[in-house]
Amino acid sequence: MRPESLYPLFAPMTALPGVGPRLAPLVEKITGPHVVDMLWHLPYGLVDRRFMPKVAEAPAGRIATLRVQVDQHLPSTSSRRPYRVICSDDSGTLTLVFFHAKGDWLDRLLPVGSERIVSGMVENFNDGPQMTHPDHVVPSAQLAEVMTIEPVYPLTAGLPGKIVVKAAKAALERTPQLPEWIDPTFLQRQAWPSWRTALQCVHAPTGEADLSPVSPARQRLAYDEMLANQLALGLVRASLRKLAGRSIVGDGRLRRKIVDSLPFQLTGAQQRSLVEIERDMVAPSRMLRLLQGDVGSGKTVVALLAMAAAVECGCQAALMAPTEILARQHLATLQGAAETAGLRLALLTGRDKGKARGKILEALAAGEIDILIGTHALFQDGVVFRDLALAVIDEQHRFGVHQRLDLAAKGQAIDMLVMTATPIPRTLMLTAYGDMDVSRLDEKPPGRRPIDTRVLPLARLDEVVEGVRRAIGAGAKVYWICPLVEESEKIDLAAAAERHAELTTLLGSRVGLVHGKMKGAEKDAAMAAFAADGLDLLVATTVIEVGVNVPEATVMVIEHAERFGLAQLHQLRGRIGRSDRASTCLLLYGSPLSENAKARLNILRDSEDGFQIAEEDLRLRGAGELLGTRQSGLPEFRLADLTQHGDLLATARNDARLILETDPDLQKPRGQALRTLLYLFERDAVVKTLRSG
Ligand code: ADP
Ligand code: MG
């Protein structure tokens, strides 16, 4: 249970003064639902309000705090004209300007004849200084409250900065002193402040140095976050390994049959990975292994062979894919090899209901299915295997640590093989998969021709369509990708549908459409038609992104390529270049394109190496954005920026390891403090895996 000391921080945001029901949704949108999220919302700038010139000497374009006499109110004469309040000091006159303001409110704020402190941006209008909507207006007795250095926070439309400043201050006041969880010697060596002091520093910057990501206070908070991350991963790993595993020793007869039936030789990397996987399966402890391989590196057959090893022992295996389309495709590609070896496959997805589902579940419980393929429906309640020994999770980047824990909570000591094509730079790797052993497919199947990638403006669409027409004439199959972003989903879907209609007019009826909002059966039909040569061109939103395998497809057009992440583009492009025929990828961008965006697309033009692309992308965009792409499934850090704090991540990892070696259940005093840290960063689920204490 969450320690009581943290209760004030996990109160709803509305517990903070000034955050009422009207503003709460706006505040929550940029911070999060709880008071603690306000603490993590760090200022990016500051305003020095200590500058207090005479009115006549206040320079335009600078924030100033002025002491003035209120002389006269000039109410607005029409709704478009502002309300003006004329003020002065002994040096000159200042006009305060208010749009859409209520007169009685201004009368109370600025009574004629009173003295007021006003602070805000000074402008020059008709040769006289004026201030539009001053940030502060207070009686002169409250001068000290205004004459400060004020933090500037990221905001959203409709949310006044003042509200956030006030809320952050109040959140800090509610912040308890917590027991230190960082090793004291390390803390001293780094010269970092305590947690609470660090928060106070970052929210009350006194100069640019305090805003730097490498200021001691920011480094400390970043370290806290990374330590929580690494500790959580370590605990997940420990909990997954707590259940004694079992030794899976097959006799190799099914695997031999499958290998013999393949139309190709396994690559060296595939063989090496298989040895590593089989070694884990034979060992009595549980396997928790990540199989990392660029798109097209041949992960599926590795998975099949691992699953066959489980079946050789009379056990069952499961293969989970992130989408319905992929699950079906896995079934289709595995069927041939599996049948030769006499493996019984079945498919279970969210679409199976009622009797059909009942039948599958019955067969599964009776052990009449060897390998069950499906979506996350596989691991829902009610799905009972007779004897599940191995779970393979494909395209892991759509699943998080949470799902890994859910799986473990099934109580079965199953071996887990997780497959991902996300080419994550090594530093980031630690943050997402620090709990897993890794096998790498760092070698592509032979005979692949490089993909000819070109970067073109959308304005050359006509030429592109002509090129596509010629390619189809020569027997090519073409993917045409349209972007789809959540925020503008409707418009994007309409654009994809429109493009489909347009291309049908230009190229004929063998043009299909597939997008995420279509019914499952319709999607399958379109994909199947494309794979089976019923269609020449498939207009698609990114549903085809992961894993789809149609080797005959050799051309891909991506519209508005600048709207995609590089990793995503690389994944998409991986759908072509899957045969010995030459492939072409056209990245169409909307103009104007910034230099940086152009540089990013050029990386893709110049490289097909997922790791190199990821490293370059990280360099150009910074980890924040790279990790920020929601679908990456990588943890999003609020305080740590891996381009700035990457070296601390390795320290956090070692620290977490040492902690778990010496105090695996976090019982000692530092362990107790670390439990609080885990709760603070909302890793409640992993704390539950610990023995209480
Ligand atoms: P991914 O790693 O992206 O999931 P797949 O498993 O879908 O890749 O494999 C991509 C393609 O490469 C498939 O058509 C598969 O049959 C083929 N393939 C896999 N291994 C080899 C190999 N060793 N030699 C030749 N082709 C292979
Ligand atoms: Mg795959």
Side-chain angles (χ1 to χ4, degrees), residues 273 276-277 280 287-293 393 395-397 404 416-422 424 429 432-441:
S273 298
E276 288 164 357
I277 291 164
D280 281 2
M287 170 165 77
L288 190 55
R289 184 168 284 278
L290 181 74
L291 178 61
Q292 195 185 25
I393 303 175
E395 307 298 355
Q396 153 78 8
H397 57 294
R404 304 216 279 271
M416 256 208 286
L417 178 66
V418 165
M419 308 198 288
T420 179
T422 315
I424 314 166
M429 190 79 194
Y433 304 111
D435 57 332
M436 308 186 92
D437 300 309
V438 181
S439 292
R440 277 188 182 209
L441 293 180

PDB file of all heavy atoms in Angstrom, residues 273 276-277 280 287-293 393 395-397 404 416-422 424 429 432-441:
ATOM      1  N   SER A 273      20.912 -17.486 -32.149  1.00  0.00           N
ATOM      2  CA  SER A 273      19.810 -17.132 -31.260  1.00  0.00           C
ATOM      3  C   SER A 273      19.077 -18.381 -30.785  1.00  0.00           C
ATOM      4  O   SER A 273      18.696 -18.480 -29.613  1.00  0.00           O
ATOM      5  CB  SER A 273      18.823 -16.207 -31.973  1.00  0.00           C
ATOM      6  OG  SER A 273      19.471 -15.027 -32.337  1.00  0.00           O
ATOM      7  N   GLU A 276      20.861 -19.998 -27.996  1.00  0.00           N
ATOM      8  CA  GLU A 276      20.668 -19.272 -26.738  1.00  0.00           C
ATOM      9  C   GLU A 276      19.288 -19.558 -26.150  1.00  0.00           C
ATOM     10  O   GLU A 276      19.125 -19.761 -24.943  1.00  0.00           O
ATOM     11  CB  GLU A 276      20.842 -17.760 -26.972  1.00  0.00           C
ATOM     12  CG  GLU A 276      22.292 -17.376 -27.215  1.00  0.00           C
ATOM     13  CD  GLU A 276      22.472 -15.972 -27.822  1.00  0.00           C
ATOM     14  OE1 GLU A 276      21.457 -15.299 -28.111  1.00  0.00           O
ATOM     15  OE2 GLU A 276      23.627 -15.576 -28.006  1.00  0.00           O
ATOM     16  N   ILE A 277      18.291 -19.561 -27.013  1.00  0.00           N
ATOM     17  CA  ILE A 277      16.918 -19.810 -26.555  1.00  0.00           C
ATOM     18  C   ILE A 277      16.787 -21.231 -26.018  1.00  0.00           C
ATOM     19  O   ILE A 277      16.238 -21.467 -24.941  1.00  0.00           O
ATOM     20  CB  ILE A 277      15.925 -19.572 -27.709  1.00  0.00           C
ATOM     21  CG1 ILE A 277      15.877 -18.081 -28.047  1.00  0.00           C
ATOM     22  CG2 ILE A 277      14.532 -20.084 -27.352  1.00  0.00           C
ATOM     23  CD1 ILE A 277      15.239 -17.777 -29.393  1.00  0.00           C
ATOM     24  N   ASP A 280      18.285 -21.658 -22.638  1.00  0.00           N
ATOM     25  CA  ASP A 280      17.398 -21.133 -21.591  1.00  0.00           C
ATOM     26  C   ASP A 280      16.262 -22.103 -21.296  1.00  0.00           C
ATOM     27  O   ASP A 280      15.849 -22.271 -20.156  1.00  0.00           O
ATOM     28  CB  ASP A 280      16.767 -19.805 -22.032  1.00  0.00           C
ATOM     29  CG  ASP A 280      17.723 -18.632 -21.874  1.00  0.00           C
ATOM     30  OD1 ASP A 280      18.872 -18.865 -21.469  1.00  0.00           O
ATOM     31  OD2 ASP A 280      17.302 -17.494 -22.169  1.00  0.00           O
ATOM     32  N   MET A 287      12.912 -18.763 -18.656  1.00  0.00           N
ATOM     33  CA  MET A 287      13.516 -17.930 -19.701  1.00  0.00           C
ATOM     34  C   MET A 287      12.775 -16.601 -19.751  1.00  0.00           C
ATOM     35  O   MET A 287      11.554 -16.536 -19.662  1.00  0.00           O
ATOM     36  CB  MET A 287      13.402 -18.607 -21.057  1.00  0.00           C
ATOM     37  CG  MET A 287      13.784 -17.675 -22.207  1.00  0.00           C
ATOM     38  SD  MET A 287      14.072 -18.548 -23.753  1.00  0.00           S
ATOM     39  CE  MET A 287      12.394 -18.860 -24.267  1.00  0.00           C
ATOM     40  N   LEU A 288      13.553 -15.547 -19.869  1.00  0.00           N
ATOM     41  CA  LEU A 288      12.984 -14.216 -20.047  1.00  0.00           C
ATOM     42  C   LEU A 288      13.893 -13.543 -21.049  1.00  0.00           C
ATOM     43  O   LEU A 288      14.860 -12.896 -20.700  1.00  0.00           O
ATOM     44  CB  LEU A 288      12.999 -13.490 -18.699  1.00  0.00           C
ATOM     45  CG  LEU A 288      12.238 -12.190 -18.621  1.00  0.00           C
ATOM     46  CD1 LEU A 288      10.806 -12.390 -19.053  1.00  0.00           C
ATOM     47  CD2 LEU A 288      12.279 -11.664 -17.204  1.00  0.00           C
ATOM     48  N   ARG A 289      13.624 -13.779 -22.307  1.00  0.00           N
ATOM     49  CA  ARG A 289      14.583 -13.386 -23.325  1.00  0.00           C
ATOM     50  C   ARG A 289      13.939 -12.529 -24.401  1.00  0.00           C
ATOM     51  O   ARG A 289      12.793 -12.743 -24.791  1.00  0.00           O
ATOM     52  CB  ARG A 289      15.213 -14.640 -23.953  1.00  0.00           C
ATOM     53  CG  ARG A 289      16.308 -14.346 -24.970  1.00  0.00           C
ATOM     54  CD  ARG A 289      17.082 -15.589 -25.345  1.00  0.00           C
ATOM     55  NE  ARG A 289      18.028 -16.001 -24.314  1.00  0.00           N
ATOM     56  CZ  ARG A 289      19.245 -15.473 -24.151  1.00  0.00           C
ATOM     57  NH1 ARG A 289      19.671 -14.526 -24.951  1.00  0.00           N
ATOM     58  NH2 ARG A 289      20.041 -15.911 -23.200  1.00  0.00           N
ATOM     59  N   LEU A 290      14.704 -11.546 -24.812  1.00  0.00           N
ATOM     60  CA  LEU A 290      14.272 -10.671 -25.885  1.00  0.00           C
ATOM     61  C   LEU A 290      14.997 -11.085 -27.157  1.00  0.00           C
ATOM     62  O   LEU A 290      16.215 -11.239 -27.160  1.00  0.00           O
ATOM     63  CB  LEU A 290      14.643  -9.226 -25.537  1.00  0.00           C
ATOM     64  CG  LEU A 290      14.243  -8.161 -26.544  1.00  0.00           C
ATOM     65  CD1 LEU A 290      12.747  -7.922 -26.491  1.00  0.00           C
ATOM     66  CD2 LEU A 290      14.977  -6.861 -26.252  1.00  0.00           C
ATOM     67  N   LEU A 291      14.241 -11.289 -28.206  1.00  0.00           N
ATOM     68  CA  LEU A 291      14.854 -11.573 -29.503  1.00  0.00           C
ATOM     69  C   LEU A 291      14.718 -10.301 -30.326  1.00  0.00           C
ATOM     70  O   LEU A 291      13.625  -9.906 -30.718  1.00  0.00           O
ATOM     71  CB  LEU A 291      14.142 -12.732 -30.195  1.00  0.00           C
ATOM     72  CG  LEU A 291      14.660 -13.089 -31.595  1.00  0.00           C
ATOM     73  CD1 LEU A 291      16.121 -13.520 -31.559  1.00  0.00           C
ATOM     74  CD2 LEU A 291      13.805 -14.184 -32.220  1.00  0.00           C
ATOM     75  N   GLN A 292      15.855  -9.653 -30.525  1.00  0.00           N
ATOM     76  CA  GLN A 292      15.822  -8.383 -31.200  1.00  0.00           C
ATOM     77  C   GLN A 292      16.379  -8.562 -32.600  1.00  0.00           C
ATOM     78  O   GLN A 292      17.482  -9.082 -32.769  1.00  0.00           O
ATOM     79  CB  GLN A 292      16.662  -7.377 -30.424  1.00  0.00           C
ATOM     80  CG  GLN A 292      16.400  -5.968 -30.854  1.00  0.00           C
ATOM     81  CD  GLN A 292      17.324  -4.993 -30.166  1.00  0.00           C
ATOM     82  OE1 GLN A 292      18.409  -5.364 -29.740  1.00  0.00           O
ATOM     83  NE2 GLN A 292      16.911  -3.755 -30.079  1.00  0.00           N
ATOM     84  N   GLY A 293      15.610  -8.159 -33.587  1.00  0.00           N
ATOM     85  CA  GLY A 293      16.097  -8.292 -34.948  1.00  0.00           C
ATOM     86  C   GLY A 293      15.381  -7.300 -35.829  1.00  0.00           C
ATOM     87  O   GLY A 293      14.166  -7.138 -35.739  1.00  0.00           O
ATOM     88  N   ILE A 393       5.969 -13.538 -27.549  1.00  0.00           N
ATOM     89  CA  ILE A 393       5.241 -12.291 -27.740  1.00  0.00           C
ATOM     90  C   ILE A 393       5.919 -11.544 -28.871  1.00  0.00           C
ATOM     91  O   ILE A 393       7.087 -11.174 -28.769  1.00  0.00           O
ATOM     92  CB  ILE A 393       5.236 -11.458 -26.453  1.00  0.00           C
ATOM     93  CG1 ILE A 393       4.635 -12.291 -25.324  1.00  0.00           C
ATOM     94  CG2 ILE A 393       4.459 -10.173 -26.652  1.00  0.00           C
ATOM     95  CD1 ILE A 393       4.693 -11.626 -23.982  1.00  0.00           C
ATOM     96  N   GLU A 395       6.580  -8.492 -31.609  1.00  0.00           N
ATOM     97  CA  GLU A 395       6.517  -7.033 -31.692  1.00  0.00           C
ATOM     98  C   GLU A 395       6.220  -6.429 -30.342  1.00  0.00           C
ATOM     99  O   GLU A 395       5.259  -5.720 -30.124  1.00  0.00           O
ATOM    100  CB  GLU A 395       5.468  -6.596 -32.723  1.00  0.00           C
ATOM    101  CG  GLU A 395       5.654  -7.239 -34.086  1.00  0.00           C
ATOM    102  CD  GLU A 395       6.980  -6.878 -34.757  1.00  0.00           C
ATOM    103  OE1 GLU A 395       7.723  -6.043 -34.204  1.00  0.00           O
ATOM    104  OE2 GLU A 395       7.281  -7.438 -35.809  1.00  0.00           O
ATOM    105  N   GLN A 396       7.103  -6.724 -29.441  1.00  0.00           N
ATOM    106  CA  GLN A 396       6.979  -6.361 -28.042  1.00  0.00           C
ATOM    107  C   GLN A 396       6.726  -4.878 -27.816  1.00  0.00           C
ATOM    108  O   GLN A 396       6.132  -4.492 -26.827  1.00  0.00           O
ATOM    109  CB  GLN A 396       8.272  -6.781 -27.354  1.00  0.00           C
ATOM    110  CG  GLN A 396       8.659  -6.005 -26.121  1.00  0.00           C
ATOM    111  CD  GLN A 396       7.871  -6.438 -24.923  1.00  0.00           C
ATOM    112  OE1 GLN A 396       7.147  -7.408 -24.983  1.00  0.00           O
ATOM    113  NE2 GLN A 396       7.989  -5.694 -23.848  1.00  0.00           N
ATOM    114  N   HIS A 397       7.152  -4.027 -28.742  1.00  0.00           N
ATOM    115  CA  HIS A 397       7.046  -2.610 -28.421  1.00  0.00           C
ATOM    116  C   HIS A 397       5.610  -2.159 -28.237  1.00  0.00           C
ATOM    117  O   HIS A 397       5.357  -1.052 -27.821  1.00  0.00           O
ATOM    118  CB  HIS A 397       7.779  -1.744 -29.438  1.00  0.00           C
ATOM    119  CG  HIS A 397       7.311  -1.936 -30.839  1.00  0.00           C
ATOM    120  ND1 HIS A 397       7.491  -3.114 -31.513  1.00  0.00           N
ATOM    121  CD2 HIS A 397       6.669  -1.118 -31.680  1.00  0.00           C
ATOM    122  CE1 HIS A 397       6.984  -3.002 -32.713  1.00  0.00           C
ATOM    123  NE2 HIS A 397       6.474  -1.798 -32.840  1.00  0.00           N
ATOM    124  N   ARG A 404       3.831  -7.815 -19.119  1.00  0.00           N
ATOM    125  CA  ARG A 404       4.739  -8.882 -18.717  1.00  0.00           C
ATOM    126  C   ARG A 404       4.358  -9.364 -17.324  1.00  0.00           C
ATOM    127  O   ARG A 404       4.356 -10.555 -17.030  1.00  0.00           O
ATOM    128  CB  ARG A 404       6.188  -8.377 -18.713  1.00  0.00           C
ATOM    129  CG  ARG A 404       6.606  -7.799 -20.052  1.00  0.00           C
ATOM    130  CD  ARG A 404       8.048  -8.087 -20.409  1.00  0.00           C
ATOM    131  NE  ARG A 404       9.066  -7.248 -19.821  1.00  0.00           N
ATOM    132  CZ  ARG A 404       9.507  -6.120 -20.358  1.00  0.00           C
ATOM    133  NH1 ARG A 404       8.976  -5.654 -21.450  1.00  0.00           N
ATOM    134  NH2 ARG A 404      10.483  -5.456 -19.788  1.00  0.00           N
ATOM    135  N   MET A 416       9.431 -17.246 -21.442  1.00  0.00           N
ATOM    136  CA  MET A 416       8.940 -16.143 -22.263  1.00  0.00           C
ATOM    137  C   MET A 416       9.983 -15.694 -23.271  1.00  0.00           C
ATOM    138  O   MET A 416      11.126 -15.436 -22.917  1.00  0.00           O
ATOM    139  CB  MET A 416       8.575 -14.974 -21.372  1.00  0.00           C
ATOM    140  CG  MET A 416       7.084 -14.864 -21.220  1.00  0.00           C
ATOM    141  SD  MET A 416       6.564 -13.231 -20.907  1.00  0.00           S
ATOM    142  CE  MET A 416       6.983 -12.885 -19.332  1.00  0.00           C
ATOM    143  N   LEU A 417       9.542 -15.609 -24.498  1.00  0.00           N
ATOM    144  CA  LEU A 417      10.401 -15.072 -25.553  1.00  0.00           C
ATOM    145  C   LEU A 417       9.666 -13.889 -26.157  1.00  0.00           C
ATOM    146  O   LEU A 417       8.532 -14.010 -26.604  1.00  0.00           O
ATOM    147  CB  LEU A 417      10.650 -16.132 -26.634  1.00  0.00           C
ATOM    148  CG  LEU A 417      11.498 -15.665 -27.817  1.00  0.00           C
ATOM    149  CD1 LEU A 417      12.926 -15.362 -27.369  1.00  0.00           C
ATOM    150  CD2 LEU A 417      11.503 -16.701 -28.930  1.00  0.00           C
ATOM    151  N   VAL A 418      10.334 -12.755 -26.107  1.00  0.00           N
ATOM    152  CA  VAL A 418       9.707 -11.539 -26.573  1.00  0.00           C
ATOM    153  C   VAL A 418      10.458 -11.091 -27.817  1.00  0.00           C
ATOM    154  O   VAL A 418      11.680 -11.074 -27.820  1.00  0.00           O
ATOM    155  CB  VAL A 418       9.792 -10.478 -25.454  1.00  0.00           C
ATOM    156  CG1 VAL A 418       9.497  -9.114 -25.988  1.00  0.00           C
ATOM    157  CG2 VAL A 418       8.867 -10.843 -24.304  1.00  0.00           C
ATOM    158  N   MET A 419       9.731 -10.782 -28.877  1.00  0.00           N
ATOM    159  CA  MET A 419      10.419 -10.417 -30.117  1.00  0.00           C
ATOM    160  C   MET A 419      10.139  -8.963 -30.474  1.00  0.00           C
ATOM    161  O   MET A 419       8.993  -8.528 -30.421  1.00  0.00           O
ATOM    162  CB  MET A 419       9.932 -11.293 -31.268  1.00  0.00           C
ATOM    163  CG  MET A 419      10.000 -12.771 -30.951  1.00  0.00           C
ATOM    164  SD  MET A 419       9.941 -13.791 -32.414  1.00  0.00           S
ATOM    165  CE  MET A 419       8.249 -13.612 -32.912  1.00  0.00           C
ATOM    166  N   THR A 420      11.163  -8.243 -30.807  1.00  0.00           N
ATOM    167  CA  THR A 420      10.934  -6.870 -31.217  1.00  0.00           C
ATOM    168  C   THR A 420      11.792  -6.503 -32.411  1.00  0.00           C
ATOM    169  O   THR A 420      12.910  -6.974 -32.557  1.00  0.00           O
ATOM    170  CB  THR A 420      11.207  -5.865 -30.088  1.00  0.00           C
ATOM    171  OG1 THR A 420      10.980  -4.553 -30.591  1.00  0.00           O
ATOM    172  CG2 THR A 420      12.634  -5.945 -29.605  1.00  0.00           C
ATOM    173  N   ALA A 421      11.236  -5.639 -33.241  1.00  0.00           N
ATOM    174  CA  ALA A 421      11.988  -5.120 -34.372  1.00  0.00           C
ATOM    175  C   ALA A 421      12.370  -3.673 -34.115  1.00  0.00           C
ATOM    176  O   ALA A 421      12.972  -3.031 -34.954  1.00  0.00           O
ATOM    177  CB  ALA A 421      11.159  -5.218 -35.644  1.00  0.00           C
ATOM    178  N   THR A 422      11.986  -3.151 -32.951  1.00  0.00           N
ATOM    179  CA  THR A 422      12.319  -1.761 -32.685  1.00  0.00           C
ATOM    180  C   THR A 422      13.813  -1.634 -32.485  1.00  0.00           C
ATOM    181  O   THR A 422      14.360  -2.228 -31.569  1.00  0.00           O
ATOM    182  CB  THR A 422      11.605  -1.260 -31.423  1.00  0.00           C
ATOM    183  OG1 THR A 422      10.260  -1.693 -31.476  1.00  0.00           O
ATOM    184  CG2 THR A 422      11.652   0.239 -31.334  1.00  0.00           C
ATOM    185  N   ILE A 424      16.301  -0.106 -30.940  1.00  0.00           N
ATOM    186  CA  ILE A 424      16.486   0.874 -29.876  1.00  0.00           C
ATOM    187  C   ILE A 424      17.968   1.071 -29.622  1.00  0.00           C
ATOM    188  O   ILE A 424      18.711   0.102 -29.489  1.00  0.00           O
ATOM    189  CB  ILE A 424      15.850   0.376 -28.574  1.00  0.00           C
ATOM    190  CG1 ILE A 424      14.472  -0.180 -28.858  1.00  0.00           C
ATOM    191  CG2 ILE A 424      15.784   1.474 -27.546  1.00  0.00           C
ATOM    192  CD1 ILE A 424      13.931  -0.974 -27.717  1.00  0.00           C
ATOM    193  N   MET A 429      17.736   0.889 -24.579  1.00  0.00           N
ATOM    194  CA  MET A 429      17.476  -0.529 -24.392  1.00  0.00           C
ATOM    195  C   MET A 429      17.340  -0.866 -22.915  1.00  0.00           C
ATOM    196  O   MET A 429      16.444  -1.580 -22.496  1.00  0.00           O
ATOM    197  CB  MET A 429      18.679  -1.254 -24.985  1.00  0.00           C
ATOM    198  CG  MET A 429      18.508  -2.694 -25.098  1.00  0.00           C
ATOM    199  SD  MET A 429      17.526  -3.023 -26.536  1.00  0.00           S
ATOM    200  CE  MET A 429      17.176  -4.703 -26.137  1.00  0.00           C
ATOM    201  N   ALA A 432      13.987  -0.005 -21.211  1.00  0.00           N
ATOM    202  CA  ALA A 432      12.793  -0.761 -21.540  1.00  0.00           C
ATOM    203  C   ALA A 432      12.941  -2.243 -21.242  1.00  0.00           C
ATOM    204  O   ALA A 432      11.989  -2.897 -20.852  1.00  0.00           O
ATOM    205  CB  ALA A 432      12.453  -0.571 -23.004  1.00  0.00           C
ATOM    206  N   TYR A 433      14.146  -2.758 -21.426  1.00  0.00           N
ATOM    207  CA  TYR A 433      14.319  -4.208 -21.333  1.00  0.00           C
ATOM    208  C   TYR A 433      15.411  -4.599 -20.352  1.00  0.00           C
ATOM    209  O   TYR A 433      16.019  -5.645 -20.506  1.00  0.00           O
ATOM    210  CB  TYR A 433      14.645  -4.782 -22.715  1.00  0.00           C
ATOM    211  CG  TYR A 433      13.623  -4.442 -23.756  1.00  0.00           C
ATOM    212  CD1 TYR A 433      13.910  -3.569 -24.790  1.00  0.00           C
ATOM    213  CD2 TYR A 433      12.346  -4.985 -23.674  1.00  0.00           C
ATOM    214  CE1 TYR A 433      12.953  -3.258 -25.740  1.00  0.00           C
ATOM    215  CE2 TYR A 433      11.387  -4.675 -24.615  1.00  0.00           C
ATOM    216  CZ  TYR A 433      11.706  -3.811 -25.651  1.00  0.00           C
ATOM    217  OH  TYR A 433      10.763  -3.507 -26.576  1.00  0.00           O
ATOM    218  N   GLY A 434      15.673  -3.721 -19.399  1.00  0.00           N
ATOM    219  CA  GLY A 434      16.735  -4.002 -18.437  1.00  0.00           C
ATOM    220  C   GLY A 434      16.533  -5.314 -17.723  1.00  0.00           C
ATOM    221  O   GLY A 434      17.451  -5.855 -17.124  1.00  0.00           O
ATOM    222  N   ASP A 435      15.314  -5.854 -17.793  1.00  0.00           N
ATOM    223  CA  ASP A 435      15.029  -7.086 -17.054  1.00  0.00           C
ATOM    224  C   ASP A 435      15.242  -8.340 -17.894  1.00  0.00           C
ATOM    225  O   ASP A 435      15.016  -9.439 -17.430  1.00  0.00           O
ATOM    226  CB  ASP A 435      13.584  -7.062 -16.545  1.00  0.00           C
ATOM    227  CG  ASP A 435      12.573  -6.886 -17.672  1.00  0.00           C
ATOM    228  OD1 ASP A 435      12.938  -6.270 -18.696  1.00  0.00           O
ATOM    229  OD2 ASP A 435      11.440  -7.369 -17.532  1.00  0.00           O
ATOM    230  N   MET A 436      15.645  -8.183 -19.142  1.00  0.00           N
ATOM    231  CA  MET A 436      15.666  -9.352 -20.016  1.00  0.00           C
ATOM    232  C   MET A 436      17.052  -9.673 -20.557  1.00  0.00           C
ATOM    233  O   MET A 436      17.895  -8.805 -20.701  1.00  0.00           O
ATOM    234  CB  MET A 436      14.729  -9.112 -21.196  1.00  0.00           C
ATOM    235  CG  MET A 436      13.350  -8.690 -20.752  1.00  0.00           C
ATOM    236  SD  MET A 436      12.221  -8.591 -22.122  1.00  0.00           S
ATOM    237  CE  MET A 436      11.565 -10.208 -22.067  1.00  0.00           C
ATOM    238  N   ASP A 437      17.239 -10.947 -20.879  1.00  0.00           N
ATOM    239  CA  ASP A 437      18.423 -11.349 -21.630  1.00  0.00           C
ATOM    240  C   ASP A 437      18.131 -11.091 -23.101  1.00  0.00           C
ATOM    241  O   ASP A 437      16.990 -11.139 -23.520  1.00  0.00           O
ATOM    242  CB  ASP A 437      18.700 -12.833 -21.415  1.00  0.00           C
ATOM    243  CG  ASP A 437      18.941 -13.145 -19.944  1.00  0.00           C
ATOM    244  OD1 ASP A 437      19.762 -12.460 -19.337  1.00  0.00           O
ATOM    245  OD2 ASP A 437      18.275 -14.065 -19.420  1.00  0.00           O
ATOM    246  N   VAL A 438      19.181 -10.843 -23.866  1.00  0.00           N
ATOM    247  CA  VAL A 438      18.947 -10.430 -25.242  1.00  0.00           C
ATOM    248  C   VAL A 438      19.661 -11.326 -26.251  1.00  0.00           C
ATOM    249  O   VAL A 438      20.839 -11.635 -26.087  1.00  0.00           O
ATOM    250  CB  VAL A 438      19.412  -8.971 -25.464  1.00  0.00           C
ATOM    251  CG1 VAL A 438      19.156  -8.533 -26.889  1.00  0.00           C
ATOM    252  CG2 VAL A 438      18.694  -8.036 -24.486  1.00  0.00           C
ATOM    253  N   SER A 439      18.927 -11.750 -27.264  1.00  0.00           N
ATOM    254  CA  SER A 439      19.539 -12.381 -28.437  1.00  0.00           C
ATOM    255  C   SER A 439      19.321 -11.447 -29.620  1.00  0.00           C
ATOM    256  O   SER A 439      18.258 -10.845 -29.730  1.00  0.00           O
ATOM    257  CB  SER A 439      18.878 -13.719 -28.751  1.00  0.00           C
ATOM    258  OG  SER A 439      19.149 -14.658 -27.750  1.00  0.00           O
ATOM    259  N   ARG A 440      20.321 -11.369 -30.463  1.00  0.00           N
ATOM    260  CA  ARG A 440      20.201 -10.438 -31.579  1.00  0.00           C
ATOM    261  C   ARG A 440      20.314 -11.115 -32.931  1.00  0.00           C
ATOM    262  O   ARG A 440      21.249 -11.878 -33.154  1.00  0.00           O
ATOM    263  CB  ARG A 440      21.323  -9.410 -31.506  1.00  0.00           C
ATOM    264  CG  ARG A 440      21.000  -8.319 -30.579  1.00  0.00           C
ATOM    265  CD  ARG A 440      22.048  -7.237 -30.696  1.00  0.00           C
ATOM    266  NE  ARG A 440      21.672  -6.235 -29.718  1.00  0.00           N
ATOM    267  CZ  ARG A 440      21.926  -4.957 -29.825  1.00  0.00           C
ATOM    268  NH1 ARG A 440      22.603  -4.523 -30.855  1.00  0.00           N
ATOM    269  NH2 ARG A 440      21.532  -4.119 -28.913  1.00  0.00           N
ATOM    270  N   LEU A 441      19.380 -10.796 -33.809  1.00  0.00           N
ATOM    271  CA  LEU A 441      19.523 -11.229 -35.204  1.00  0.00           C
ATOM    272  C   LEU A 441      20.167 -10.065 -35.945  1.00  0.00           C
ATOM    273  O   LEU A 441      19.487  -9.162 -36.420  1.00  0.00           O
ATOM    274  CB  LEU A 441      18.155 -11.556 -35.810  1.00  0.00           C
ATOM    275  CG  LEU A 441      17.429 -12.765 -35.223  1.00  0.00           C
ATOM    276  CD1 LEU A 441      16.098 -12.972 -35.919  1.00  0.00           C
ATOM    277  CD2 LEU A 441      18.283 -14.015 -35.363  1.00  0.00           C
TER     278      LEU A 441
END
